[in-house]
Amino acid sequence: MSEGSKDQMSTIREKLLLAPNIYEMVIEAPRIAAKARPGQFIVVMADEWGERIPLTIADFDPRQGTLTVVLMVVGTSSLKLSRLEVGESLYALIGPLGHASEVEPVGTVVMVAGGVGTAPAYPIARAFHQSGSRVVTVQGARSKELLFWTDRLASVSDEHVVTTDDGSAGRKGLVTEPLVELLQRDHGTPIGRVYAIGPAVMMKFCAQATRSFGVKTIVSLNPIMIDGTGMCGGCRVEVDGQTRFTCVDGPEFDGHLVDWELLLSRQKIYHEQEACSLKQWTGEPEPAR
Amino acid sequence: MNEKSSTPRERPSKKSGRNPRVPMPEQRPEVRIANFDEVPLGYTPEQARAEAARCLQCKKPSCLEGCPVNVDIPGFIALIVEGKFAEAARKIKEDNCLPAICGRVCPQETQCEAACVLAKKGEPGAVGRLERFAADYEREQGLIELPEKVPPTGKKVAVVGSGPAGLTVAGELILRGHEVTIFEAFHKPGGVLMYGIPEFRLPKRIVEEEVDYLRRLGVKIEFNQAIGTSLTVDELLDEEGFDAVFIGVGAGLPYFMGVPGENLGGVYSASEYLTRSNLMKAFDFPQYDTPIVRGRTVCVIGGGNVAMDSARTARRLGAEKVYIVYRRSRAELPARVEEVHHAEEEGIVFKLLCAPIEYLGDPRGMVRQIRCQAMELGEPDASGRRRPVPKPGAEFTLDTGLVIVAIGSGANPLLTRQTKQLELNRRGYIAADETGRTSRRGVWAGGDIVTGSATVILAMGAGKAAARNIHQYLCEKDGTVR
Ligand SMILES: Cc1cc2nc3c(=O)[nH]c(=O)nc-3n(C[C@H](O)[C@H](O)[C@H](O)COP(=O)(O)OP(=O)(O)OC[C@H]3O[C@@H](n4cnc5c(N)ncnc54)[C@H](O)[C@@H]3O)c2cc1C
Ligand SMILES: Cc1cc2nc3c(=O)[nH]c(=O)nc-3n(C[C@H](O)[C@H](O)[C@H](O)COP(=O)(O)OP(=O)(O)OC[C@H]3O[C@@H](n4cnc5c(N)ncnc54)[C@H](O)[C@@H]3O)c2cc1C
Ligand code: SF4
Ligand code: SF4
Ligand code: FES
């Protein structure tokens, strides 16, 4: 436990394995739950030795005072978090950070959610749905077993399309294929906005696909962060030729203006060190402290 | 004495005269570049008494005017002469609640020591070193005493930010009987003291212990609370029942230069580099999980204290060559002389009169070279320093594996843009008068968020002035005069 604040225990209330290496966690955080809006994120530390990593707020319940996050285990920090059990507390939890999604009636909104991107897409889709927009979701995963929250996403969508890379569920192929077809089709109301949330590569290709249609395409960027409050500049990205700090200026930006190569290369800065760090948590015994 | 230490020695000084200061033992450069332990080792009681004996106990002590918080300098030095070390520490604490920190990081050579009469004929009294000695002695010997509690006033004050400004306000107001809660965005207290100033200049244990003292006095700290996000200043006043709010959030927005290639991997702001190393303890990776880029050759852009701290940190993280790239000449280096000296002892090379114009990367997007423009000094600018101007056609490149941009920082808008009726100045800092009062009733501000990047002791001075004014406000509020 962090040298704690009484109000914010950050205790894990529920933990669920959604798919291999993907966990849903419900965390007690009353102040944040009261303020959270779709599109915002938190920064957490699993323990005193941990790294500060960002996670999107996938759901929030002001009455229960809880937040829901969906976590994919990819390295040390996510592994450590996934090993925390119900009743245990995070060492640190700060939020809600970043700007909320700009939700307004836009006719039809197409929401593309790839991989764990499903989790952050859900509250945004719900908000658009409630705003009276027509919501069409495209949910993609590598294979059937990695799909989660399909019901939830469907429940806030007027139309819901599933794709898998291997064809084990829904349509075989990448999310960009149905995306392009949807853009070509008549929806009664024009498509006012496309949202793409998922791995950087997926967001990049979605933005490329929508460009020639001239539809405003919002992406939620995921660079490496530390503080999440605009203090370090580690999360900088280039949008429309300008340097922006994702944590305070974003995380949502116009996908047509993002320098994707820069984002992709900045995500890999610590590749070797991350591999070295992970090795000591898997296979080898935990380091003596 | 520690085997790592050198024999006491001092930089040769033309002014040392017949009555030189007692030298400070230090870790030898070749030893200290391989560790993060503190460089100056501190006086022994004998050394402290000998140094204290140099003080003339002036009737009108000029040193006092040089100190922004008016520490009773002759008073505490007299107690050291008598061997009453803990009493000396308590004397300092009447005016300065963080003596172990100020004794280490105050720029004494431009403050208290600059004003000392001894400086006229030779070397000034070593006020900072003595302050450090007394505070260390009291703490290490377990002699810290809590002052007597005054009856609670029932008033609640929220302090935003736990840097030196916020800690001072908290310390002053808790002693006057108010209930104080600090809200801090990070998971550790201290602000720049914790994430900026490196371990080898200010051990983090000391910061934590000084904060602990405040907690023992009753100050509450809520970590991981970025005011402006989960809670706003308006809510602190209107909903959470605070009678006054002090904002001491520092100047934590790193500046970049906007030259091409600045977003390559391995180009850090000094804040990111130092935060990774100090706060997140990346120097101890993979024991700690936060990684950091370690270059064999490192270029630090800028010539201030932050640049020196970054360069010396890079050296300790294994860099063989570290360059300070600064666009003016040595005479204009804004860093403290002591820091420049320490950096040079540690083998840091000064590339003066040059400025980066482009960063070049490898195919993986990691920085590999800096293209620099050589400069020369032209006419003086508004600051009175000669303005550097590019020398036509004089360009060169430096190979590098890591770049740290240390050209300053500005006001972070996270809190201010969420606070109603809070007037800012042109540069985004909070407008406040000399007592810290802002345009908003019940809200005070001080430290770097008002002045822009300054010093620890000025932030504390601002905190002290604000605390006095807040106290007055709280007493007037319900007519009780204390
Ligand atoms: C705004 C935002 C929202 C995010 N939301 C979610 C989410 O809801 N669920 C989820 O599973 N993941 C989310 N991520 C990604 C998540 O933060 C990273 O997967 C996590 O930090 C990886 O850390 P690790 O130590 O487990 O892996 P590592 O082995 O350290 O890293 C794997 C990759 O993750 C990225 N990464 C590493 N460290 C950081 C860091 N400090 N900050 C950001 N990225 C980092 C890098 O690209 C790295 O190559 C989000 C990222 C951002 C920026
Ligand atoms: C690397 C470095 C070296 C330095 N060396 C020296 C030196 O040797 N001597 C010297 O005198 N000065 C030095 N300085 C300058 C000195 O540290 C600062 O002037 C001083 O710390 C300012 O104090 P402050 O209380 O105003 O703010 P800070 O120390 O910046 O503290 C502000 C605190 O507020 C927190 N905060 C920010 N936003 C929020 C929010 N919205 N909600 C809650 N909390 C928030 C921050 O996390 C931080 O903890 C140095 C500065 C740096 C960066
Ligand atoms: S607080 Fe700083 S300026 Fe004041 S006496 Fe101590 S060292 Fe000198
Ligand atoms: S001015 Fe110098 S000699 Fe005089 S009291 Fe101050 S420290 Fe001592
Ligand atoms: S994470 Fe540090 S500025 Fe964005």
Side-chain angles (χ1 to χ4, degrees):
Chain A
M1 252 302 289
S2 142
E3 315 176 51
S5 43
K6 57 178 185 326
D7 187 71
Q8 205 175 310
M9 296 302 290
S10 322
T11 308
I12 296 171
R13 284 274 155 259
E14 289 169 47
K15 176 178 163 186
L16 204 70
L17 184 68
L18 293 177
N21 280 324
I22 300 178
Y23 295 85
E24 175 180 335
M25 284 188 174
V26 179
I27 305 165
E28 198 175 302
R31 277 190 192 151
I32 304 177
K35 284 282 165 68
R37 293 283 167 275
Q40 291 188 296
F41 65 95
I42 54 178
V43 165
V44 302
M45 285 173 81
D47 61 32
E48 197 185 331
W49 299 271
E51 195 181 3
R52 296 174 67 95
I53 68 160
L55 295 172
T56 312
I57 299 171
D59 207 352
F60 46 92
D61 185 338
R63 269 171 308 143
Q64 299 290 321
T66 57
L67 298 175
T68 302
V69 293
V70 172
L71 171 78
M72 180 160 72
V73 177
V74 294
T76 302
S77 304
S78 44
L79 180 71
K80 277 185 169 183
L81 285 170
S82 73
R83 286 181 178 173
L84 292 176
E85 298 302 337
V86 171
E88 292 185 297
S89 295
L90 299 173
Y91 176 73
L93 166 61
I94 173 175
L97 302 172
H99 289 289
S101 309
E102 279 174 34
V103 178
E104 54 194 351
V106 289
T108 297
V109 57
V110 177
M111 184 71 64
V112 184
V116 272
T118 296
Y122 167 67
I124 303 173
R126 182 176 60 191
F128 272 102
H129 194 67
Q130 286 164 356
S131 81
S133 303
R134 205 179 104 81
V135 178
V136 181
T137 48
V138 179
Q139 183 180 4
R142 266 181 291 129
S143 71
K144 182 179 175 187
E145 57 167 11
L146 292 171
L147 281 168
F148 63 89
W149 283 18
T150 40
D151 292 350
R152 278 205 208 188
L153 212 48
S155 73
V156 293
S157 308
D158 297 279
E159 199 179 327
H160 180 230
V161 182
V162 170
T163 69
T164 50
D165 295 4
D166 61 4
S168 52
R171 201 171 142 169
K172 181 175 156 87
L174 300 174
V175 287
T176 38
E177 293 164 22
L179 172 61
V180 169
E181 290 167 20
L182 286 165
L183 287 162
Q184 287 163 339
R185 220 179 70 195
D186 181 21
H187 293 270
T189 59
I191 297 181
R193 194 154 311 163
V194 170
Y195 256 87
I197 304 183
V201 185
M202 182 210 90
M203 295 192 282
K204 172 186 160 183
F205 283 109
C206 288
Q208 264 172 25
T210 60
R211 188 184 294 273
S212 60
F213 294 92
V215 180
K216 186 163 179 185
T217 301
I218 303 295
V219 293
S220 180
L221 300 186
N222 48 4
I224 291 172
M225 293 190 176
I226 304 185
D227 52 293
T229 60
M231 269 205 27
C232 75
C235 62
R236 55 200 197 278
V237 290
E238 264 174 56
V239 182
D240 202 12
Q242 302 248 349
T243 295
R244 310 295 299 272
F245 290 4
T246 306
C247 65
V248 285
D249 299 329
E252 294 182 1
F253 291 102
D254 182 337
H256 293 152
L257 303 176
V258 170
D259 181 339
W260 294 102
E261 299 321 308
L262 181 73
L263 175 69
L264 287 161
S265 74
R266 284 191 64 87
Q267 285 182 340
K268 294 187 194 117
I269 295 174
Y270 304 103
H271 237 61
E272 283 135 42
Q273 295 179 61
E274 283 154 357
C276 150
S277 164
L278 185 60
K279 212 167 82 190
Q280 70 172 358
W281 294 101
T282 52
E284 278 154 50
E286 294 190 4
R289 270 164 176 160
Chain B
M1 190 170 296
N2 191 321
E3 57 165 65
K4 293 190 293 197
S5 75
S6 56
T7 43
R9 77 211 158 76
E10 190 88 336
R11 211 169 326 147
S13 158
K14 284 186 214 95
K15 290 184 86 185
S16 47
R18 257 171 302 150
N19 178 19
R21 326 167 121 194
V22 175
M24 176 70 120
E26 287 186 348
Q27 269 201 78
R28 273 184 284 127
E30 56 286 11
V31 175
R32 70 188 191 228
I33 56 166
N35 67 51
F36 274 85
D37 299 339
E38 202 175 359
V39 172
L41 300 169
Y43 280 155
T44 61
E46 296 69 39
Q47 288 169 331
R49 290 179 78 164
E51 174 58 35
R54 292 180 61 236
C55 169
L56 304 175
Q57 294 293 318
C58 307
K59 284 277 158 324
K60 281 192 185 153
S62 48
C63 52
L64 229 132
E65 280 145 44
C67 171
V69 295
N70 294 323
V71 167
D72 178 358
I73 296 170
F76 92 80
I77 292 183
L79 288 163
I80 294 184
V81 174
E82 291 173 44
K84 294 180 176 162
F85 305 139
E87 287 83 348
R90 280 166 214 150
K91 182 67 139 181
I92 305 168
K93 281 188 182 164
E94 288 171 12
D95 301 294
N96 174 349
C97 63
L98 308 170
I101 293 169
C102 290
R104 286 172 166 84
V105 305
C106 261
Q108 291 102 9
E109 67 280 6
T110 59
Q111 299 181 343
C112 50
E113 294 179 11
C116 170
V117 291
L118 289 174
K120 291 198 184 114
K121 290 217 186 90
E123 291 185 313
V127 179
R129 294 170 181 182
L130 291 173
E131 188 167 317
R132 166 187 167 161
F133 167 79
D136 285 358
Y137 184 90
E138 183 197 29
R139 193 185 63 248
E140 283 162 11
Q141 303 295 319
L143 299 173
I144 293 182
E145 279 177 10
L146 295 187
E148 252 174 70
K149 275 222 154 104
V150 301
T153 61
K155 296 278 182 260
K156 280 174 71 184
V157 180
V159 171
V160 186
S162 64
L167 293 176
T168 304
V169 170
E172 296 277 332
L173 291 178
I174 199 85
L175 290 179
R176 291 176 162 100
H178 307 298
E179 202 181 300
V180 183
T181 307
I182 299 180
F183 295 89
E184 166 56 49
F186 269 131
H187 54 282
K188 292 272 183 195
V192 172
L193 306 175
M194 188 61 87
Y195 69 76
I197 303 179
E199 183 77 20
F200 54 82
R201 278 216 294 132
L202 178 61
K204 301 309 144 212
R205 180 181 42 80
I206 291 174
V207 181
E208 296 202 23
E209 280 169 353
E210 300 248 10
V211 172
D212 249 11
Y213 170 75
L214 293 180
R215 284 186 165 172
R216 279 162 55 199
L217 292 176
V219 173
K220 282 182 247 159
I221 308 187
E222 292 210 26
F223 292 100
N224 309 305
Q225 299 291 340
I227 303 303
T229 62
S230 53
L231 271 175
T232 61
V233 171
D234 303 282
E235 286 164 343
L236 290 172
L237 288 167
D238 304 339
E239 290 167 28
E240 302 276 326
F242 288 99
D243 300 290
V245 174
F246 175 82
I247 303 174
V249 294
L253 180 81
Y255 287 152
F256 288 92
M257 295 170 69
V259 302
E262 206 168 27
N263 292 333
L264 286 165
V267 182
Y268 284 120
S269 71
S271 332
E272 178 174 6
Y273 187 70
L274 293 171
T275 299
R276 281 182 183 273
S277 179
N278 295 331
L279 180 72
M280 305 311 295
K281 309 227 182 295
F283 66 82
D284 203 4
F285 180 89
Q287 194 76 343
Y288 282 80
D289 300 337
T290 302
I292 195 162
V293 174
R294 298 177 184 232
R296 208 176 312 166
T297 307
V298 177
C299 289
V300 179
I301 316 298
N305 288 320
V306 181
M308 301 306 139
D309 282 343
S310 304
R312 298 174 69 197
T313 298
R315 191 81 169 103
R316 284 164 176 76
L317 285 172
E320 285 159 20
K321 258 226 149 75
V322 181
Y323 296 109
I324 294 270
V325 176
Y326 180 57
R327 66 199 177 114
R328 302 182 196 245
S329 73
R330 171 172 292 263
E332 288 86 14
L333 277 173
R336 290 179 68 185
V337 179
E338 184 184 338
E339 298 312 316
V340 174
H341 171 72
H342 275 142
E344 282 185 321
E345 279 189 333
E346 290 167 14
I348 284 147
V349 180
F350 287 74
K351 288 264 175 204
L352 299 166
L353 285 168
C354 64
I357 46 175
E358 187 179 7
Y359 300 104
L360 305 165
D362 65 13
R364 287 179 49 216
M366 298 297 288
V367 69
R368 286 295 166 253
Q369 277 189 324
I370 307 190
R371 210 151 64 79
C372 288
Q373 163 75 59
M375 312 292 268
E376 54 197 1
L377 291 181
E379 295 301 306
D381 62 14
S383 72
R385 297 180 301 174
R386 291 176 67 193
R387 186 199 306 272
V389 289
K391 227 186 197 162
E395 282 180 17
F396 61 97
T397 57
L398 287 172
D399 288 339
T400 192
L402 167 62
V403 172
I404 303 160
V405 182
I407 59 160
S409 57
N412 185 327
L414 191 72
L415 175 144
T416 49
R417 74 179 176 207
Q418 295 293 339
T419 309
K420 287 184 215 126
Q421 300 154 21
L422 189 63
E423 220 172 272
L424 306 183
N425 69 17
R426 234 172 348 100
R427 292 152 68 214
Y429 294 105
I430 299 176
D433 68 13
E434 65 285 357
T435 64
R437 249 179 220 275
T438 68
S439 57
R440 170 90 184 257
R441 193 179 150 78
V443 179
W444 281 257
D448 283 4
I449 187 60
V450 170
T451 56
S453 307
T455 61
V456 172
I457 193 67
L458 285 173
M460 291 179 62
K464 213 168 144 175
R468 223 177 278 136
N469 202 256
I470 293 171
H471 177 64
Q472 211 178 1
Y473 168 83
L474 293 176
C475 295
E476 281 164 10
K477 213 176 163 185
D478 56 8
T480 51
V481 180
R482 278 166 193 272

